[in-house]
């Protein structure tokens, strides 16, 4: 199934506008309390969401700048960099340029703003703290999806059914948990044509409630979400007797090896990196886990 990027550009643009407005409001709130943990976490999530969607849609300029901004906001959230007027200005200018790049993408224009100096400035902030900024996508090829069977899961058999979304006359049900509307819609559009029934939740707590109330055949979860992250959701599901054997796929824009290892250690059957492979990678992984 072809993945039509243009179909999702407007959804992404709307979501990115909301996140960048939240970024601006968060910076204003930090002026009153630079160590407000809730605001710092919100700023980080905004940059992460903007980056994740850009990576999925191959919007390179937005991805590169949001990637570096996320790295600095991680340091700020974790108390490893001091917040002051210089950093505030750098973050604000990065948000403004990201807004411009998003509008270019929404209008089908090539990137018009020079974002490279801001990437360099953000990388310098991170380097001064002894923690190099996350490398731009072109610096290294994305690592392949890591996969490991859960302890209670049997070895997957090859898919042989004509309609993989059904078994013994029953449609398979999949739960997608992600705070990004773009990610939820894209996953549903990829899986529904294969015959799966797809529900969604915008955060880990809502996802856990749905997973407890419904007998899903598989769960797909993001990592960084409000309320409860994907690692915690995976661990909670593995701790529930009635849900312990459910296949779980973590699908995140975080490509770092330690994130993959944390996901697998929490009990995920597979860890996929958004935008790192063909769209059919998700379909193929689901078919493997639901033979």
């Amino acid at each position: 199934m072809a993945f039509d990027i243009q179909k999702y550009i407007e959804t992404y643009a709307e979501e990115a506008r909301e996140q960048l407005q939240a970024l601006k409001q968060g910076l204003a709130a930090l002026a009153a309390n630079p160590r407000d943990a809730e605001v710092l976490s919100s700023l980080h999530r905004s940059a992460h969401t903007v980056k994740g969607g850009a990576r999925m849609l191959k919007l390179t300029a937005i991805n590169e700048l949001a990637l570096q901004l996320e790295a600095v906001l991680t340091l700020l959230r974790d108390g490893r960099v001091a917040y002051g007027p210089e950093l505030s200005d750098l973050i604000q200018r990065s948000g403004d340029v990201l807004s411009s790049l998003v509008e270019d993408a929404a209008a089908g224009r090539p990137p018009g703003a020079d974002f490279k100096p801001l990437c360099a400035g953000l990388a310098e902030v991170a380097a001064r703290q002894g923690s190099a900024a996350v490398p731009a996508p072109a610096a290294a090829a994305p690592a392949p999806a890591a996969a490991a069977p859960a302890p209670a899961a049997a070895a997957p058999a090859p898919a042989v059914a004509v309609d993989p979304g059904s078994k013994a006359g029953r449609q398979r049900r999949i739960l997608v948990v992600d705070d990004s509307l773009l990610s939820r819609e894209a996953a549903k559009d990829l899986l529904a044509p294969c015959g799966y029934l797809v529900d969604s939740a915008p955060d880990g707590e809502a996802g856990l409630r749905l997973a407890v109330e419904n007998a899903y055949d598989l769960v797909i979860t993001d990592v960084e979400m409000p309320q409860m992250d994907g690692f915690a959701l995976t661990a909670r599901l593995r701790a529930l007797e009635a849900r312990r054997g459910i296949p779980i796929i973590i699908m995140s824009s975080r490509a770092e090896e330690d994130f993959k290892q944390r996901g697998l250690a929490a009990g995920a059957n597979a860890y996929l990196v958004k935008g790192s492979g063909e769209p059919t990678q998700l379909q193929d992984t689901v078919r493997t886990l639901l033979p």
Side-chain angles (χ1 to χ4, degrees), residues 167-224:
K167 185 175 183 180
R170 180 180 66 84
Q171 275 191 290
R172 307 289 189 89
R173 296 185 67 189
I174 294 176
L175 175 63
V176 177
V177 187
D178 201 308
D179 60 333
S180 167
L181 175 61
L182 169 66
S183 295
R184 298 196 302 272
E185 287 188 352
K188 183 173 183 178
D189 287 350
L190 284 168
L191 296 173
C194 298
Y196 302 107
L197 292 175
V198 182
D199 293 337
S200 64
D203 60 65
E205 284 191 357
L208 181 62
R209 286 195 299 272
L210 283 175
V212 168
E213 294 168 0
N214 300 276
Y216 290 106
D217 296 284
L218 183 141
V219 172
I220 300 168
T221 180
D222 188 19
V223 171
E224 296 184 307

Side-chain angles (χ1 to χ4, degrees), residues 41 44-45 48 77 177-179 201-209 219-238 248-252 254 259 262-263 266-268 271:
S41 292
H44 179 267
R45 282 197 305 273
H48 176 74
R77 180 196 63 187
V177 187
D178 201 308
D179 60 333
D203 60 65
E205 284 191 357
L208 181 62
R209 286 195 299 272
V219 172
I220 300 168
T221 180
D222 188 19
V223 171
E224 296 184 307
M225 301 179 288
Q227 312 305 327
M228 180 189 296
D229 66 31
F231 297 143
L233 173 60
T234 299
R236 292 284 295 274
L237 289 174
R238 288 288 177 248
I248 300 173
I249 298 172
I250 291 181
M251 189 167 66
S252 170
R254 299 300 297 261
F259 269 71
R262 287 177 63 190
Y271 189 113

